[in-house]
Amino acid sequence: EPEVTQTPSHQVTQMGQEVILRCVPISNHLYFYWYRQILGQKVEFLVSFYNNEISEKSEIFDDQFSVERPDGSNFTLKIRSTKLEDSAMYFCASSAGQMGNQPQHFGDGTRLSIL
Amino acid sequence: KQEVTQIPAALSVPEGENLVLNCSFTDSAIYNLQWFRQDPGKGLTSLLLIQSSQREQTSGRLNASLDKSSGRSTLYIAASQPGDSATYLCAVTSGGSYIPTFGRGTSLIVHP
């Protein structure tokens, strides 16, 4: 069964540095998403992406964050000038149809640790 | 602002029991509700997606119901198995966008 893959599985970064989290969505999916889950907290939506542009974003997704689909397969989340509170699991997801109409398929996440 | 609450927070049952997980939401004007399963160290797996016009969805031993008027959904798991042990999350989209709001989840342990 096709999977969403995320790399790296664990990223350790010094505060203030930039990180790029990578995702390869399922190949025929058109909608892509990033979520985060701070340890012990709820899963939180960050952003959805369709047709090479952001379709929705949450209040969390401020100027520190950006997303990109640099080629036909990868979907990346860039976090600039990282802060301690950015430490969390970051999940990528994709779906064949619009969020809410089709189930989303999630990767296993990247654990981001900011020191 | 939509708030999603899941009760109980944790549940431990012997194998074979039928069980019910609860999800409540404050804004009944929802587009849909989705149940997910999350295994330790893994991402989320979509179990059932209920559109606002539907009252229930079934998949195998799982049945999810939706009552918008009371702001509730239940996930019924029949004949539970140790492999059902996981955290079950409820997520609701509402309020003019498709951004989902998640509950904290119910951590389920089914022991042999």
Side-chain angles (χ1 to χ4, degrees), chain A residues 37 40 42 56 99-100 106-107, chain B residues 32 38 43-44 51 97-98 102:
Chain A
Q37 186 175 29
K42 297 181 180 183
E56 294 206 75
M99 179 166 54
F106 282 71
Chain B
N32 58 65
Q38 185 175 26
L44 281 64
Q51 300 294 343
S97 81
Y98 287 104
F102 284 81

Side-chain angles (χ1 to χ4, degrees), chain A:
Chain A
E1 183 175 328
E3 293 182 335
V4 174
T5 57
Q6 291 186 242
T7 55
S9 57
H10 191 189
Q11 174 80 46
V12 181
T13 301
Q14 292 290 328
M15 184 172 58
Q17 298 296 306
E18 173 183 287
V19 296
I20 297 176
L21 309 183
R22 304 182 189 279
C23 169
V24 178
I26 294 174
S27 61
N28 63 344
H29 284 186
L30 301 176
Y31 295 80
F32 314 110
Y33 317 89
W34 283 102
Y35 294 83
R36 79 174 184 188
Q37 186 175 29
I38 296 170
L39 186 64
Q41 303 297 315
K42 297 181 180 183
V43 174
E44 299 173 292
F45 171 86
L46 293 178
V47 66
S48 59
F49 191 85
Y50 169 72
N51 200 26
N52 285 320
E53 61 182 29
I54 291 173
S55 48
E56 294 206 75
K57 60 182 181 179
S58 70
E59 294 174 351
I60 302 168
F61 194 89
D62 58 20
D63 291 344
Q64 186 191 5
F65 296 88
S66 62
V67 289
E68 189 179 30
R69 188 157 164 81
D71 53 44
S73 60
N74 290 286
F75 180 50
T76 62
L77 174 69
K78 181 187 291 185
I79 309 175
R80 288 179 283 274
S81 189
T82 50
K83 299 172 284 193
L84 294 176
E85 53 264 39
D86 294 327
S87 295
M89 284 290 291
Y90 287 81
F91 294 106
C92 172
S94 68
S95 63
Q98 191 173 31
M99 179 166 54
N101 293 329
Q102 294 286 334
Q104 295 177 40
H105 297 256
F106 282 71
D108 285 341
T110 292
R111 180 173 300 282
L112 177 62
S113 299
I114 306 299
L115 304 179

Side-chain angles (χ1 to χ4, degrees), chain B residues 19-53:
Chain B
L19 48 97
V20 175
L21 308 182
N22 297 290
C23 172
S24 62
F25 44 93
T26 54
D27 181 356
S28 61
I30 67 170
Y31 294 127
N32 58 65
L33 183 144
Q34 195 160 358
W35 283 94
F36 294 90
R37 168 185 174 136
Q38 185 175 26
D39 292 282
K42 297 291 187 179
L44 281 64
T45 300
S46 178
L47 298 174
L48 292 164
L49 172 64
I50 311 176
Q51 300 294 343
S52 62
S53 58

Side-chain angles (χ1 to χ4, degrees), chain B residues 6-22:
Chain B
Q6 292 188 243
I7 295 173
L11 187 61
S12 180
V13 300
E15 181 177 6
E17 275 202 9
N18 302 323
L19 48 97
V20 175
L21 308 182
N22 297 290

Side-chain angles (χ1 to χ4, degrees), chain B residues 63-74:
Chain B
N63 175 275
S65 66
L66 174 63
D67 183 345
K68 286 193 304 179
S69 61
S70 65
R72 292 181 182 178
S73 175
T74 60

